[in-house]
Amino acid sequence: QADGTFTINGCPPGKQLVTAEAKGFANTTIEVNLAENSEPVRLILGAGKILRLRVVDADGNPIPRATLWYDCINQRWPNNGSIMVQLDFSPNTDKQGRVVLTNAPDTEMNLTARAAGFLNTSDIKIRPDGEEHVITLSKALVVHGVVYDEATGRRIQKFRIAQGYPQPNPVEGTTNVQWSSIGRFWLDFSGGTYSHKFEEGVIGGSSNPGYVLKFIAEGYTPFVSRVIGANEGDVEMNVTLRRTMTATVTVSKPDGQPAALADVGLAALGARLKLTHSGFSRENIQSGGSLLRTDANGTFAFQPDDAVSKVIVASPDGYGEATPAALLANPVIQMKSWGRLEATCLSGGKPVNGREYGFSFSDISAESVAFDFDVSRVTTDSEGRITVDKLPPGHLNLVRHIPVHISPGGGGWMDGEKTSFEIKPGETTTLTLGMSNYTVTARLVWPAGMQRQSNWQITVGVHTPMPPIPPEIVTNHVALQELMQTEEFKAVQQNARVFQATVNDDDLISAENVPPGEYDLSIFVISQPNNNSPVAGGMVNF
């Protein structure tokens, strides 16, 4: 209105971002906690800075009609804990490769630059200051070659290439491949040859980690390439595929009827399948190509892939699984009925209210298949009870969810103690947690001259002792990774138990429901929200 007031109806309650923009001013974004009786929101606009950009190639020549985009979506919180200013900024450069934005927000801006024939560049961080900032784009990666039949040496006439990117797993010291589930990253070719210009990274919102290509043809085992660097320029890659048997698998419901339109998950490291109570999540969080569906007759075509360790079928009617070798020998999956869990959580002999739990598989890596976090999350009631009606038959873990503060207005979760149990088809499994365990108490003592600060995040955990790490390799990343890959270290990690502890204002530490045994108590202190840097840490064995 003329007096600067505004009204927006239908806003959801809770913490929301509100942005104001006006000609001649810089955008302003604030976070407010909306409620029925909230005070009026007040935004103050002021003059901004001038952002000058120039996009050039490796030789310094201007690139006209290059597109620049300010990414205020993928990185909401900058490192300093302030709010990312929302702004619609996606102009094209002029003939000299230049772009000017007046009244830009006085904050670090995360930019992406793209142009035809060049490799998209993301995660360009620039703060408007009136000076001209030069962005250099590299020529697009070109990969080309011929695809042959291993047995005949002839060219395979029709094939697909799926694009993926390497995804390191620092916990296990491995690197998996995440295949895109977006259609434009799956390429079709004919005539036995291929050539493609890669201008876009498979993963957005970060620097390009390179490409991994999967060559797929009907009746052949897929071939997975090495990691191809985004800056390799021109790459010739000739590929030979090996013929294999393709099986038509028939899936039946628990009552023997065809399981039409059931979800089929191909479990492989990096597949990231998320199981729900009625199938698999289809929110494109899974790796591309890892999620299929049976047809109206309850069948699907299974083409063996060396990366696939298990085939899982799930629907509202039931759950079933088989190994690839078993399916090639007998292409049938008989689904089993879902099972039920009833659990009671106690502490000191009394029910615990409001404690959250989730689930994991005991014999399947979470990098392959995991339970959908939001769907499977359960909370104990006033009598300490939880009930879950649909769980897959087999060996599972009940995992305590521990809330963790990450940034202003945001948070996350970490896994706490795990309790193993077995679900049988159509039956109810009962568990009682905390029947005969102990409460561990300790006192936190700060180093001389150090006092506890209000913005420190203190995390304390009681856990199974890890194998000793020689002091000389603590700062040697390669040697440390080699140690973590030893069978001794893996065995301890796989069977480790973790119990989250709390710290009160008087520095008293308490961890409940800890069974008898030998443990380490680890303490980590992080400064929040300013720099997210370590302050102190320590470990005590008891």
Side-chain angles (χ1 to χ4, degrees):
Q1 304 297 324
D3 61 354
T5 61
F6 67 92
T7 301
I8 305 175
N9 296 316
C11 298
K15 291 185 177 181
Q16 308 289 348
L17 296 180
V18 182
T19 299
E21 60 177 294
K23 187 176 181 179
F25 296 90
N27 284 22
T28 294
T29 299
I30 63 173
E31 184 178 55
V32 295
N33 195 357
L34 301 181
E36 187 174 352
N37 298 317
S38 297
E39 293 293 324
V41 175
R42 181 176 176 85
L43 298 106
I44 300 175
L45 299 184
K49 301 289 185 177
I50 296 178
L51 175 65
R52 299 184 187 274
L53 302 172
R54 189 169 191 236
V55 182
V56 300
D57 62 19
D59 296 324
N61 300 312
I63 302 177
R65 298 200 58 77
T67 300
L68 291 160
W69 175 56
Y70 167 51
D71 182 3
C72 57
I73 300 173
N74 292 310
Q75 294 185 345
R76 179 181 173 189
W77 299 104
N79 291 333
N80 60 7
S82 62
I83 296 173
M84 183 76 72
V85 177
Q86 296 180 322
L87 171 67
D88 184 9
F89 178 64
S90 55
N92 293 326
T93 58
D94 61 17
K95 293 181 179 180
Q96 299 302 316
R98 289 187 169 93
V99 162
V100 177
L101 172 64
T102 58
N103 290 305
D106 187 13
T107 185
E108 183 178 74
M109 300 178 66
N110 187 33
L111 303 170
T112 295
R114 58 173 65 96
F118 293 88
L119 191 65
N120 293 359
T121 302
S122 302
D123 205 29
I124 306 169
K125 292 181 170 56
I126 296 174
R127 192 179 190 102
D129 56 7
E131 301 293 327
E132 184 172 85
H133 297 266
V134 177
I135 299 173
T136 302
L137 298 185
S138 303
K139 285 288 187 181
L141 168 71
V142 177
V143 184
H144 56 92
V146 184
V147 179
Y148 297 99
D149 182 304
E150 181 183 70
T152 66
R154 296 177 180 175
R155 297 182 178 185
I156 298 175
Q157 292 302 306
K158 290 186 178 181
F159 58 92
R160 305 191 79 189
I161 297 179
Q163 299 180 49
Y165 62 92
Q167 189 173 57
N169 182 341
V171 176
E172 299 183 1
T174 59
T175 298
N176 300 320
V177 179
Q178 181 72 19
W179 304 107
S180 176
S181 59
I182 302 174
R184 68 177 181 273
F185 294 106
W186 288 68
L187 312 171
D188 292 294
F189 296 94
S190 61
T193 64
Y194 73 95
S195 180
H196 185 71
K197 187 179 294 183
F198 295 83
E199 299 178 348
E200 179 182 11
V202 182
I203 180 173
S206 64
S207 57
N208 192 335
Y211 302 85
V212 182
L213 307 181
K214 180 189 284 189
F215 293 77
I216 306 168
E218 186 175 354
Y220 293 86
T221 299
F223 172 83
V224 177
S225 76
R226 63 175 175 84
V227 178
I228 305 172
N231 59 353
E232 290 192 34
D234 185 278
V235 175
E236 181 178 1
M237 181 174 290
N238 298 320
V239 173
T240 301
L241 300 184
R242 184 179 74 253
R243 280 195 174 275
T244 188
M245 180 188 303
T246 299
T248 299
V249 180
T250 300
V251 183
S252 300
K253 297 180 183 179
D255 61 4
Q257 296 297 311
L261 305 180
D263 287 337
V264 180
L266 306 181
L269 287 177
R272 290 171 48 177
L273 294 164
K274 302 298 182 184
L275 185 68
T276 69
H277 300 320
S278 59
F280 286 103
S281 172
R282 290 184 173 270
E283 296 183 354
N284 285 332
I285 52 180
Q286 78 282 354
S287 188
S290 63
L291 187 54
L292 311 176
R293 180 169 280 168
T294 61
D295 60 19
N297 299 316
T299 67
F300 69 94
F302 174 62
Q303 185 166 323
D305 186 331
D306 294 339
V308 176
S309 60
K310 189 173 290 189
V311 179
I312 299 174
V313 181
S315 76
D317 299 300
Y319 174 94
E321 60 181 48
T323 64
L327 290 181
L328 292 179
N330 181 26
V332 173
I333 296 179
Q334 176 70 51
M335 301 176 73
K336 299 177 181 179
S337 299
W338 297 96
R340 175 186 173 91
L341 174 69
E342 294 180 353
T344 302
C345 179
L346 304 175
S347 180
K350 297 181 180 180
V352 179
N353 181 29
R355 182 167 291 180
E356 293 202 0
Y357 289 91
F359 300 91
S360 67
F361 288 93
S362 295
D363 57 350
I364 305 177
S365 169
E367 290 290 307
S368 299
V369 185
F371 287 81
D372 184 273
F373 181 82
D374 291 324
V375 173
S376 65
R377 185 169 51 179
V378 290
T379 305
T380 58
D381 61 17
S382 59
E383 297 182 358
R385 296 180 303 187
I386 57 173
T387 301
V388 182
D389 289 325
K390 285 191 173 183
L391 286 173
H395 295 278
L396 306 176
N397 295 319
L398 182 64
V399 185
R400 184 180 171 188
H401 287 162
I402 309 297
V404 177
H405 180 76
I406 295 176
S407 61
W413 300 86
M414 65 174 290
D415 289 347
E417 64 267 27
K418 297 180 181 179
T419 303
S420 299
F421 64 97
E422 182 181 3
I423 288 291
K424 295 183 178 180
E427 298 184 13
T428 297
T429 298
T430 59
L431 288 176
T432 301
L433 309 177
M435 280 289 291
S436 58
N437 298 331
Y438 294 88
T439 297
V440 176
T441 58
R443 176 73 64 180
L444 178 58
V445 179
W446 298 99
M450 179 179 288
Q451 292 184 343
R452 181 174 173 177
Q453 303 297 315
S454 61
N455 68 328
W456 286 0
Q457 173 192 325
I458 304 175
T459 302
V460 182
V462 175
H463 56 86
T464 304
M466 291 289 108
I469 300 176
E472 63 270 16
I473 73 168
V474 170
T475 58
N476 186 328
H477 177 73
V478 175
L480 191 59
Q481 287 297 321
E482 290 178 352
L483 174 65
M484 295 178 67
Q485 292 307 303
T486 60
E487 292 303 320
E488 178 190 12
F489 213 97
K490 285 184 175 181
V492 174
Q493 282 185 313
Q494 184 175 0
N495 299 308
R497 306 191 68 177
V498 181
F499 304 89
Q500 185 71 11
T502 59
V503 184
N504 67 12
D505 293 338
D506 295 327
D507 293 334
L508 185 66
I509 298 171
S510 178
E512 300 176 338
N513 301 327
V514 181
E518 183 178 355
Y519 299 92
D520 284 341
L521 185 147
S522 297
I523 304 170
F524 299 94
V525 183
I526 302 294
S527 177
Q528 291 280 0
N530 296 328
N531 54 17
N532 202 35
S533 60
V535 174
M539 181 179 293
V540 178
N541 181 269
F542 65 96

